[in-house]
Amino acid sequence: MTGHGSEDLAVEALHRGASNYVPKPQLGERLLESVDEALNLAKSDKTYNELIACLKSCDFDFELENDPGLIDPLVELVQQMVAGMGLTDPTGRFRVGAALKEALLNAVYRGNLEISFKEMQDTRESMLAGKGDDLLAKRRSTAPYSSRKIRVHITMDPKQARFEIRDEGRGFDPSSIPAAGQPGSLDPETGRGLVLMRAFFDEVTFQDGGRQVTLVKRCEG
């Protein structure tokens, strides 16, 4: 758990083995969700590890609808691949999954559907109170959001895994993102996912006016 502006502490904890963190103002609404995500990611099936260990390289192209239900299966596939190819240990396998999930969710919600952090909070509170519309469902069925896709290009070999995640939203100015260690990068609207990505991947870069993020994980051996 972190207080406002304590990025250094969060990053140190992540590098020391923490799998996630929750900003203190969101503790009540995010703690159980974060624990549940951790448990689900840790259960990823290891059935194919021996077969994947024989794989020398792979190249995947996905075109996803704006369906959050597609994200966990994709993350689980990636976890199997990075572990089976020997790119990371079990802890790193989990971390890759956690950070990749943040990037994919960001592409769906913030990118294609243009749902802000505050809108997500307000919608969640309204739905829990039994009133209000499901903004996610509404955006997914309304133009121009409904026709947008998430494109994911994944390449892996025994040296590194590279993930290119592209949305079709309005984008943003990547120069507006605070550099690691600068104040503001723990802003709950922009910072939590970015901190996880920077902590768990070796390279994090934004292209095409913020509509694409490229993540690189090098072999830990």
Side-chain angles (χ1 to χ4, degrees):
M1 181 179 70
T2 64
H4 178 69
S6 53
E7 178 183 345
D8 290 343
L9 179 61
V11 171
E12 181 181 356
L14 293 169
H15 282 299
R16 285 178 176 265
S19 63
N20 212 324
Y21 78 91
V22 180
K24 191 173 183 179
Q26 302 172 38
L27 187 63
E29 60 192 58
R30 293 300 301 267
L31 179 59
L32 292 180
E33 177 184 338
S34 296
V35 171
D36 188 51
E37 288 178 358
L39 292 174
N40 287 334
L41 286 169
K43 292 176 183 175
S44 181
D45 188 10
K46 300 179 181 178
T47 305
Y48 301 102
N49 276 2
E50 291 186 10
L51 177 62
I52 295 173
C54 304
L55 187 65
K56 297 304 179 185
S57 66
C58 63
D59 190 315
F60 295 109
D61 271 307
F62 294 91
E63 184 177 272
L64 306 180
E65 302 289 337
N66 296 307
D67 180 2
L70 297 172
I71 291 178
D72 280 349
L74 177 54
V75 169
E76 290 171 6
L77 172 63
V78 167
Q79 286 183 304
Q80 290 181 357
M81 299 296 289
V82 296
M85 295 183 73
L87 281 166
T88 184
D89 61 15
T91 299
R93 170 180 174 273
F94 174 85
R95 290 178 166 188
V96 166
L100 181 63
K101 183 172 182 176
E102 290 289 336
L104 290 166
L105 288 172
N106 186 68
V108 172
Y109 289 112
R110 302 297 305 284
N112 279 357
L113 300 182
E114 298 181 24
I115 300 176
S116 71
F117 179 79
K118 186 177 186 306
E119 287 175 325
M120 286 296 297
Q121 281 188 313
D122 292 345
T123 299
R124 180 181 297 178
E125 292 172 2
S126 295
M127 296 298 289
L128 289 174
K131 56 185 178 180
D133 297 322
D134 185 340
L135 182 59
L136 172 61
K138 183 181 293 185
R139 288 284 172 90
R140 287 178 61 194
S141 61
T142 304
Y145 316 105
S146 56
S147 63
R148 294 173 177 173
K149 309 292 184 186
I150 302 295
R151 291 176 172 80
V152 184
H153 184 210
I154 303 171
T155 56
M156 293 189 200
D157 60 39
K159 293 183 178 180
Q160 72 172 29
R162 180 183 178 90
F163 307 89
E164 297 173 358
I165 302 169
R166 177 183 293 271
D167 65 63
E168 296 180 337
R170 297 184 185 182
F172 62 93
D173 180 5
S175 66
S176 66
I177 299 176
Q182 288 187 351
S185 55
L186 275 188
D187 182 326
E189 186 170 356
T190 59
R192 180 172 174 271
L194 181 61
V195 169
L196 293 177
M197 285 185 276
R198 284 174 168 170
F200 296 159
F201 282 96
D202 297 297
E203 294 180 21
V204 179
T205 56
F206 292 90
Q207 299 89 23
D208 190 26
R211 283 177 286 270
Q212 176 175 312
V213 60
T214 300
L215 310 169
V216 177
K217 177 64 179 177
R218 300 189 187 93
C219 179
E220 295 175 353

